[in-house]
Amino acid sequence: MNIRFTLASSKRIFSQLLNDKRTIALLLLFPAILMTLLRFVFDDNERVFDSIGGPMLAVFPFVTMFLVSCIVTLRERASGTLERLMTMPIHKVDIIFGYALSFGIMAFLQAGIAMAVAVKLLGLDIAGEWYWLFAVAGLDAILGMALGLFASSL
């Protein structure tokens, strides 16, 4: 493993993500939109939204990151990008850690946006501190990303 190769791989993947507006919208906005829809479903009873809003704030980023990481990795495999990368002097570990680093940054951005929308705009009442909710949502998004990379590498 070479940190220079890992950072170069991460930079390539991150720039590729930033150029794809649909993926950015899916990554950053979809969990917030789902939280908004969930709030409107339980509009008449705020206690129900407060009781299930926290767990759903962890589930939505998990599922979104799982699907997007699977799709992006599979798209690169289908287009031949991964095969071209394998001909270079870069190890598979550098490529996987590059994906993990770039998707990890996006996962924490996604969790932060979803949590800000849920707590500030939608009035989600949480019993504990906000940073614990952010940590759980971010770690669940990282877990979804890791499982997505694992599933797409098989």
Side-chain angles (χ1 to χ4, degrees):
M1 184 177 141
N2 188 341
I3 191 71
R4 199 175 93 222
F5 289 153
T6 302
L7 291 176
S9 176
S10 176
K11 181 180 174 186
R12 183 195 63 82
I13 294 161
F14 203 69
S15 68
Q16 181 183 347
L17 280 176
L18 291 179
N19 287 332
D20 190 7
K21 303 300 183 208
R22 294 175 298 171
T23 305
I24 290 293
L26 181 65
L27 277 174
L28 298 181
L29 300 178
F30 193 65
I33 291 169
L34 287 176
M35 286 301 293
T36 305
L37 289 174
L38 188 68
R39 174 69 177 105
F40 287 133
V41 166
F42 298 112
D43 196 27
D44 56 343
N45 193 351
E46 287 187 21
R47 286 186 42 215
V48 174
F49 178 68
D50 289 338
S51 66
I52 65 169
M56 289 298 112
L57 195 58
V59 169
F60 292 153
F62 172 83
V63 171
T64 305
M65 286 305 294
F66 176 77
L67 291 174
V68 169
S69 62
C70 279
I71 290 168
V72 168
T73 311
L74 193 61
R75 188 181 339 161
E76 284 203 354
R77 182 175 288 176
S79 69
T81 306
L82 285 178
E83 286 81 13
R84 284 182 273 158
L85 283 175
M86 292 300 165
T87 63
M88 299 176 70
I90 187 170
H91 295 354
K92 292 179 184 179
V93 175
D94 295 323
I95 296 171
I96 294 295
F97 280 150
Y99 273 104
L101 184 61
S102 57
F103 277 120
I105 292 169
M106 295 303 286
F108 276 102
L109 282 173
Q110 178 189 65
I113 290 171
M115 191 188 79
V117 167
V119 173
K120 297 293 182 189
L121 295 179
L122 302 176
L124 178 66
D125 186 31
I126 54 175
E129 297 293 330
W130 65 270
Y131 51 83
W132 288 114
L133 183 61
F134 175 70
V136 168
L139 290 175
D140 276 346
I142 294 287
L143 178 64
M145 178 262 319
L147 288 175
L149 288 176
F150 175 72
S152 66
S153 68
L154 296 178

